[in-house]
Amino acid sequence: MLITLCYLYLWARWGRRPAALVRATVQRLRASHCSFTFCGAAVQPSGARVCLSRGGRVFCVGESEFPIWTHLLKIEPFRLRILDIQKYRDSIDDLNKWALFLVSPFILEAEHIAFVTESIWVQGETLQRPSSSSESVVRWSDCCLPLACRPGDPYQLIAEASVDNFTKLGVAFMEDRLQMADGLVPQKIVSVHLQDSTLKALKDQASNKQAQILQQNPEPSVESKPEPDVMEHVGGDDLKVLGAQPTEGKDGTSGREPAGEGDVGVGSIEHCHLHLSSCHECLELENSTIESVKFASAEKIPDLPYDHNGTLEDVADDICLDREGRKVNITGRAPNILFYMGSASQESLGRFQEVRSVLADCVDTESYTLYPLSRESALRDPWSDNCLLLVIATREAIPEDLSQKFMAYLSQGGKVLGLCSPFTLSGFQVTSKSVLRETVQNLVFSKADQTHVKLSVLSSGYVYEEGPGGHLSLGKLQGHLENEDKDRLIVQVPFGPRGGEAVLCQAHLELPPSSSVVQAQEDFNLLKSSNTRRYEVLREILTTLGLNCDLKRAPALTPLYLLPAAEEIWDPLMQWLGKHVDPEGVIKSSKLSLKFLSSYTSNIEITPSALPVVTDVESFLSENFNLQIYRQNLQTKRLGKVILFAEVTPTTMNLLDGLMFEIPQEMGLIAIAVRQTQGKGRGSNAWLSPMGCAVSTLLVSIPLRSQLGQRIPFVQHLMSLAVVEAVRSIPEYQDINLRVKWPNDIYYSNFMKLGGVLVNSTLLGETFYILIGCGFNVSNSNPTICINDLVTEYNKQHRAELKPFRTDDLIARTVTVLEKLIDTFQDKGPNGILPLYYKYWVHSGQRVRLGGLEGPEVWIVGLDDSGFLQVQQEDGEIVTVHPDGNSFDMLRNLIIPKQQ
């Protein structure tokens, strides 16, 4: 009985109220010279008083007479040191190795606590995984504001938090529920007393160092020459406009096409304030790619190992296989079909278009994007992770180094389709039969279900034969000619234990009957009669290789509807419209014409360049967009007040083109679509827009001479942050793990991309007119992961009943949050929004490599005053990384040059 009572007392004293105990202790003693430490029991400070012990970890307080861990950060000449009353001096390190996260000196908020978190890097299978507990995992970045960091081992982060959040962090640390950035495991949390001069000195140190680098690496400025009053910035991959050639637009503006991408050198820093009135090249606005992502649902995401030092093949082996050894796509990018066409030439480009067109007719193009793969990219880039099928369609011999890359991809579970290519596998050889070259032959094709398809095909003049000693176990797909030798033109070859396989074909299944190779009318007739069966064979091959070939008819374009977000805006809007349409009710722009009608009938033609706009609000009805729900969730003064809505449209980025410069700012325009047929990403990237994706383009006007007008690259950060905050600011949804990834992506944790932002801007007079395209996945589980998947998974894990989202309410909430963020930025500058941005971003304490797996290792520090990413090299040098020439590969921990 006594033992039971003692146990109950201890459970009540320590088990139920550790947070209350820690909080009370901190509140009582924070004004004294005491310091609070959370650490392992074995390394607790000598002389400290232990207030709480749990699972080998302790919370202790330094004695008031001898505060062992009372840290006073102060500046000595070029040194930052820790001082305690026992005259123990412990050098933190040179100021050169410390860097601020914020862009101006920081003032510690009243009643907040500053502290240092020491962490170590853990790799591979020992990656930190919080122990199971009835309590939820606590993320370090959710509870504090990072101030400065010192890369190294241990990795040190100075941060500040409220008493409650400091308590929450400490208790989570003791219960092994504290989670930091990938690979970081916290070892100690120690409160410190900060002097303002410390962080100011750090700021000055970074600024001086940066100025010295800029002086050492002067770059001549080549200014482009726009029209006197108008300068347009079109969405390209490159921030630079050096060498751009102006082109006269129909509306009198001068446009520019990017001169091409340049790599950002590690040693150079393009880090300066925007001087927009005199420096035209500083005006180019960064755009970014919106891609659909991972071919998986939230509950199927595997745990990812962490290894900073592994090779490309090692990491691919770890992250690209499911539990049964099959290759899966977990990179957070759109699942790709890549085409290797041989050496770069006009002929190979034409062949790519030819082959791509045929395969696009076979597969579900809403699930995949189809890209060419150059030899250079195949040898350099980690393309294999998100490649579901590699198509080799060159007649050229495959170089040995490239062949090894392709074989490595197969060994990881990759799928290869060879189309009239010399590429083959060990045990097979490609043999020439000139009598068959470019002739029409009868082919018998065996399907996976052992049924046969007979068709006429155009032969390449080559056949497959077993090589010396070759006794391969072939797959079920096979195709042979109806001749005496039964020459094999199609073979399916499994490869390796991880599900890799290749289907190799020497019949021109990729060529249409009208191909220039086909000369005789008789041959054309034979191939034309077999055309349906040619597609049947292609789809059978592609389906066997794991692709979805369920054909869906491209949706027909629908009319636009002009909708007001508030009743009182309707009459002024119609009055304005009456003054700006031509006698036929049309407003034209360089990209399209909008014809405003009171009603729509089916005989009115809709084309990508001519769209009808219905102004009868009473006739509007959509299953996918509820105007009342949008109105209820939109709480703005300006933004998103006038809606152009379409069920299906080419792209929302063009819909506002003819209206944006004339409409009053209080009638903020937004274009919303359920589906897009020609969605745009950065450069030549495709933007997949399936049902359930929130797709919109918002017009925002920013004065040139304002806080944000001088830091336009922040627009993309504000938009991606608005999407995350729109969800996580809702009570009970704060733990839905949405994050922002620099420069403009929305992520699920740091695993998978959910959406992104595309920004185009035009400077007219003293005002930026900015079109912000945003797409994020709300309810489209396939082929992407979506926000509602995360809500469903959260409900299962926590036995909660959170409701799923609609696209209309989230678009309205996002616009509302964005307006608040813009107002805050205009009032307080970057520091007004950076605390929230750092709370949600995925990069705190992240260690990456610049340029590739062999590039220099750096630590991510934060954003500079212009919104560009800052990284710190091992020698302490701060390097600014511009998003125009770089992409961020999360799973590889790489910042790699982006290619056209």
Side-chain angles (χ1 to χ4, degrees), residues 78 95-96 201-219 267-272 870 875-880:
F78 306 107
L95 277 178
N96 289 334
L202 283 170
K203 169 72 174 177
D204 295 341
Q205 186 81 3
S207 300
N208 292 338
K209 183 192 321 176
Q210 192 175 71
Q212 293 172 4
I213 296 173
L214 287 171
Q215 292 172 3
Q216 294 169 3
N217 298 278
E219 292 290 339
S268 64
I269 293 187
E270 299 175 22
H271 180 99
C272 56
Q870 287 188 314
D875 61 2
E877 181 180 349
I878 301 294
V879 177
T880 294

Short mmCIF file of all heavy atoms in Angstrom, two decimals, residues 78 95-96 201-219 267-272 870 875-880:
data_model
loop_
_atom_site.label_atom_id
_atom_site.label_comp_id
_atom_site.label_asym_id
_atom_site.label_seq_id
_atom_site.Cartn_x
_atom_site.Cartn_y
_atom_site.Cartn_z
N PHE A 78 36.24 41.07 -32.02
CA PHE A 78 36.10 39.98 -32.98
C PHE A 78 35.71 38.66 -32.34
O PHE A 78 35.83 37.63 -32.95
CB PHE A 78 37.38 39.77 -33.80
CG PHE A 78 37.84 41.02 -34.47
CD1 PHE A 78 38.96 41.69 -34.00
CD2 PHE A 78 37.15 41.54 -35.55
CE1 PHE A 78 39.37 42.86 -34.63
CE2 PHE A 78 37.56 42.69 -36.17
CZ PHE A 78 38.67 43.37 -35.71
N LEU A 95 32.69 35.77 -34.60
CA LEU A 95 31.45 36.33 -35.13
C LEU A 95 31.23 35.90 -36.57
O LEU A 95 30.10 35.83 -37.03
CB LEU A 95 31.50 37.87 -35.06
CG LEU A 95 31.14 38.49 -33.71
CD1 LEU A 95 31.30 39.99 -33.80
CD2 LEU A 95 29.71 38.14 -33.34
N ASN A 96 32.31 35.66 -37.30
CA ASN A 96 32.18 35.28 -38.70
C ASN A 96 31.37 34.00 -38.87
O ASN A 96 30.85 33.73 -39.95
CB ASN A 96 33.55 35.09 -39.34
CG ASN A 96 34.28 36.39 -39.52
OD1 ASN A 96 33.65 37.43 -39.63
ND2 ASN A 96 35.59 36.34 -39.54
N ALA A 201 25.89 43.77 -33.44
CA ALA A 201 27.23 43.52 -33.95
C ALA A 201 27.23 42.41 -34.98
O ALA A 201 27.95 42.46 -35.97
CB ALA A 201 28.17 43.16 -32.78
N LEU A 202 26.41 41.39 -34.75
CA LEU A 202 26.30 40.33 -35.74
C LEU A 202 25.78 40.89 -37.06
O LEU A 202 26.25 40.54 -38.14
CB LEU A 202 25.35 39.24 -35.24
CG LEU A 202 25.91 38.27 -34.21
CD1 LEU A 202 24.79 37.42 -33.66
CD2 LEU A 202 27.01 37.41 -34.79
N LYS A 203 24.77 41.76 -36.97
CA LYS A 203 24.22 42.38 -38.17
C LYS A 203 25.28 43.20 -38.89
O LYS A 203 25.45 43.09 -40.12
CB LYS A 203 23.03 43.26 -37.77
CG LYS A 203 22.51 44.17 -38.87
CD LYS A 203 21.78 43.39 -39.93
CE LYS A 203 21.14 44.33 -40.93
NZ LYS A 203 20.48 43.62 -42.02
N ASP A 204 26.01 44.01 -38.13
CA ASP A 204 27.05 44.84 -38.74
C ASP A 204 28.15 44.00 -39.34
O ASP A 204 28.68 44.30 -40.41
CB ASP A 204 27.63 45.80 -37.69
CG ASP A 204 26.60 46.80 -37.20
OD1 ASP A 204 25.58 46.99 -37.90
OD2 ASP A 204 26.81 47.37 -36.11
N GLN A 205 28.50 42.91 -38.63
CA GLN A 205 29.55 42.03 -39.13
C GLN A 205 29.17 41.45 -40.49
O GLN A 205 29.96 41.43 -41.42
CB GLN A 205 29.79 40.89 -38.13
CG GLN A 205 30.95 39.98 -38.47
CD GLN A 205 32.27 40.58 -38.03
OE1 GLN A 205 32.29 41.64 -37.43
NE2 GLN A 205 33.36 39.92 -38.36
N ALA A 206 27.91 40.97 -40.59
CA ALA A 206 27.46 40.40 -41.87
C ALA A 206 27.42 41.45 -42.96
O ALA A 206 27.81 41.21 -44.10
CB ALA A 206 26.08 39.77 -41.69
N SER A 207 26.97 42.67 -42.62
CA SER A 207 26.87 43.72 -43.63
C SER A 207 28.25 44.14 -44.12
O SER A 207 28.47 44.34 -45.31
CB SER A 207 26.14 44.93 -43.04
OG SER A 207 24.84 44.57 -42.65
N ASN A 208 29.21 44.26 -43.17
CA ASN A 208 30.56 44.65 -43.57
C ASN A 208 31.20 43.61 -44.47
O ASN A 208 31.84 43.91 -45.47
CB ASN A 208 31.43 44.87 -42.33
CG ASN A 208 30.98 46.08 -41.52
OD1 ASN A 208 30.33 46.97 -42.05
ND2 ASN A 208 31.32 46.10 -40.23
N LYS A 209 31.00 42.34 -44.09
CA LYS A 209 31.57 41.26 -44.89
C LYS A 209 30.98 41.25 -46.29
O LYS A 209 31.67 41.07 -47.28
CB LYS A 209 31.28 39.93 -44.19
CG LYS A 209 31.88 38.73 -44.88
CD LYS A 209 31.33 37.46 -44.31
CE LYS A 209 31.15 37.52 -42.83
NZ LYS A 209 30.52 36.30 -42.32
N GLN A 210 29.69 41.50 -46.34
CA GLN A 210 29.01 41.50 -47.63
C GLN A 210 29.51 42.65 -48.50
O GLN A 210 29.75 42.49 -49.69
CB GLN A 210 27.52 41.64 -47.37
CG GLN A 210 26.66 41.39 -48.56
CD GLN A 210 25.21 41.44 -48.13
OE1 GLN A 210 24.69 42.50 -47.82
NE2 GLN A 210 24.58 40.31 -48.08
N ALA A 211 29.66 43.82 -47.90
CA ALA A 211 30.14 44.97 -48.65
C ALA A 211 31.54 44.73 -49.19
O ALA A 211 31.88 45.10 -50.32
CB ALA A 211 30.13 46.21 -47.75
N GLN A 212 32.40 44.07 -48.38
CA GLN A 212 33.74 43.77 -48.85
C GLN A 212 33.71 42.85 -50.05
O GLN A 212 34.46 43.04 -51.01
CB GLN A 212 34.54 43.13 -47.71
CG GLN A 212 34.80 44.08 -46.54
CD GLN A 212 35.41 43.36 -45.36
OE1 GLN A 212 35.71 42.16 -45.45
NE2 GLN A 212 35.60 44.07 -44.26
N ILE A 213 32.84 41.86 -50.00
CA ILE A 213 32.76 40.93 -51.13
C ILE A 213 32.28 41.62 -52.38
O ILE A 213 32.77 41.40 -53.48
CB ILE A 213 31.85 39.75 -50.77
CG1 ILE A 213 32.46 38.96 -49.61
CG2 ILE A 213 31.63 38.83 -51.95
CD1 ILE A 213 31.55 37.88 -49.07
N LEU A 214 31.30 42.52 -52.22
CA LEU A 214 30.79 43.25 -53.37
C LEU A 214 31.86 44.13 -53.99
O LEU A 214 31.94 44.29 -55.19
CB LEU A 214 29.57 44.09 -52.96
CG LEU A 214 28.29 43.31 -52.69
CD1 LEU A 214 27.25 44.23 -52.09
CD2 LEU A 214 27.76 42.70 -53.96
N GLN A 215 32.73 44.71 -53.12
CA GLN A 215 33.80 45.54 -53.64
C GLN A 215 34.85 44.70 -54.36
O GLN A 215 35.45 45.12 -55.34
CB GLN A 215 34.45 46.31 -52.49
CG GLN A 215 33.52 47.37 -51.90
CD GLN A 215 34.09 47.99 -50.63
OE1 GLN A 215 35.20 47.66 -50.25
NE2 GLN A 215 33.33 48.89 -50.01
N GLN A 216 35.07 43.49 -53.87
CA GLN A 216 36.07 42.63 -54.49
C GLN A 216 35.60 42.04 -55.81
O GLN A 216 36.40 41.64 -56.64
CB GLN A 216 36.42 41.48 -53.54
CG GLN A 216 37.11 41.96 -52.27
CD GLN A 216 37.21 40.86 -51.25
OE1 GLN A 216 36.81 39.74 -51.53
NE2 GLN A 216 37.73 41.18 -50.07
N ASN A 217 34.26 41.96 -56.00
CA ASN A 217 33.71 41.34 -57.21
C ASN A 217 32.78 42.31 -57.92
O ASN A 217 31.58 42.06 -58.02
CB ASN A 217 32.96 40.05 -56.84
CG ASN A 217 33.87 39.03 -56.21
OD1 ASN A 217 34.57 38.32 -56.90
ND2 ASN A 217 33.85 38.97 -54.89
N PRO A 218 33.31 43.44 -58.38
CA PRO A 218 32.42 44.39 -59.05
C PRO A 218 31.91 43.81 -60.36
O PRO A 218 32.63 43.14 -61.08
CB PRO A 218 33.31 45.60 -59.30
CG PRO A 218 34.70 45.03 -59.37
CD PRO A 218 34.72 43.87 -58.42
N GLU A 219 30.63 44.05 -60.64
CA GLU A 219 30.02 43.60 -61.88
C GLU A 219 29.48 44.81 -62.62
O GLU A 219 28.69 45.58 -62.07
CB GLU A 219 28.87 42.63 -61.60
CG GLU A 219 29.31 41.30 -61.03
CD GLU A 219 30.04 40.45 -62.05
OE1 GLU A 219 29.86 40.72 -63.26
OE2 GLU A 219 30.79 39.55 -61.65
N GLY A 267 30.92 32.01 -55.46
CA GLY A 267 31.76 33.06 -54.92
C GLY A 267 31.22 34.45 -55.08
O GLY A 267 31.71 35.38 -54.47
N SER A 268 30.23 34.64 -55.90
CA SER A 268 29.71 35.97 -56.15
C SER A 268 28.43 36.19 -55.37
O SER A 268 27.67 35.29 -55.13
CB SER A 268 29.44 36.18 -57.64
OG SER A 268 28.43 35.30 -58.05
N ILE A 269 28.21 37.43 -54.97
CA ILE A 269 27.00 37.78 -54.23
C ILE A 269 26.26 38.85 -54.97
O ILE A 269 26.76 39.96 -55.15
CB ILE A 269 27.33 38.25 -52.81
CG1 ILE A 269 27.90 37.10 -51.99
CG2 ILE A 269 26.11 38.84 -52.14
CD1 ILE A 269 28.10 37.44 -50.54
N GLU A 270 25.04 38.53 -55.42
CA GLU A 270 24.18 39.53 -56.00
C GLU A 270 23.19 39.93 -54.91
O GLU A 270 22.07 39.46 -54.83
CB GLU A 270 23.44 38.96 -57.21
CG GLU A 270 24.38 38.53 -58.31
CD GLU A 270 23.62 37.87 -59.43
OE1 GLU A 270 22.42 38.11 -59.57
OE2 GLU A 270 24.26 37.10 -60.16
N HIS A 271 23.67 40.80 -54.01
CA HIS A 271 22.94 41.05 -52.78
C HIS A 271 22.95 42.55 -52.54
O HIS A 271 23.89 43.10 -51.99
CB HIS A 271 23.64 40.33 -51.63
CG HIS A 271 22.97 40.51 -50.31
ND1 HIS A 271 22.12 39.57 -49.79
CD2 HIS A 271 23.00 41.53 -49.41
CE1 HIS A 271 21.69 40.00 -48.62
NE2 HIS A 271 22.21 41.17 -48.37
N CYS A 272 21.94 43.25 -53.04
CA CYS A 272 21.90 44.68 -52.85
C CYS A 272 20.46 45.12 -52.78
O CYS A 272 19.56 44.42 -53.20
CB CYS A 272 22.62 45.40 -53.99
SG CYS A 272 21.97 44.99 -55.60
N GLN A 870 19.91 33.34 -48.09
CA GLN A 870 21.29 33.46 -47.66
C GLN A 870 21.76 32.12 -47.11
O GLN A 870 21.07 31.48 -46.34
CB GLN A 870 21.44 34.53 -46.59
CG GLN A 870 21.32 35.96 -47.10
CD GLN A 870 21.67 36.96 -46.02
OE1 GLN A 870 21.20 36.86 -44.90
NE2 GLN A 870 22.49 37.93 -46.36
N ASP A 875 33.72 28.63 -44.29
CA ASP A 875 34.65 29.68 -43.90
C ASP A 875 33.95 30.90 -43.33
O ASP A 875 34.57 31.92 -43.05
CB ASP A 875 35.54 30.08 -45.08
CG ASP A 875 34.72 30.63 -46.25
OD1 ASP A 875 33.47 30.72 -46.12
OD2 ASP A 875 35.33 30.97 -47.28
N GLY A 876 32.62 30.82 -43.16
CA GLY A 876 31.87 31.92 -42.59
C GLY A 876 31.32 32.89 -43.61
O GLY A 876 30.55 33.79 -43.26
N GLU A 877 31.66 32.73 -44.87
CA GLU A 877 31.20 33.67 -45.90
C GLU A 877 29.72 33.47 -46.16
O GLU A 877 29.23 32.36 -46.31
CB GLU A 877 32.00 33.45 -47.19
CG GLU A 877 31.60 34.40 -48.31
CD GLU A 877 32.40 34.15 -49.58
OE1 GLU A 877 33.40 33.40 -49.50
OE2 GLU A 877 32.04 34.69 -50.63
N ILE A 878 29.00 34.60 -46.22
CA ILE A 878 27.58 34.58 -46.52
C ILE A 878 27.39 34.73 -48.02
O ILE A 878 27.91 35.66 -48.62
CB ILE A 878 26.83 35.71 -45.78
CG1 ILE A 878 27.01 35.58 -44.27
CG2 ILE A 878 25.35 35.69 -46.14
CD1 ILE A 878 26.37 34.37 -43.67
N VAL A 879 26.65 33.81 -48.62
CA VAL A 879 26.41 33.83 -50.06
C VAL A 879 24.91 33.98 -50.27
O VAL A 879 24.10 33.29 -49.64
CB VAL A 879 26.91 32.54 -50.73
CG1 VAL A 879 26.58 32.55 -52.21
CG2 VAL A 879 28.41 32.39 -50.53
N THR A 880 24.52 34.88 -51.16
CA THR A 880 23.12 35.05 -51.50
C THR A 880 22.79 34.20 -52.72
O THR A 880 23.49 34.25 -53.73
CB THR A 880 22.81 36.53 -51.80
OG1 THR A 880 22.97 37.29 -50.60
CG2 THR A 880 21.38 36.69 -52.29
#
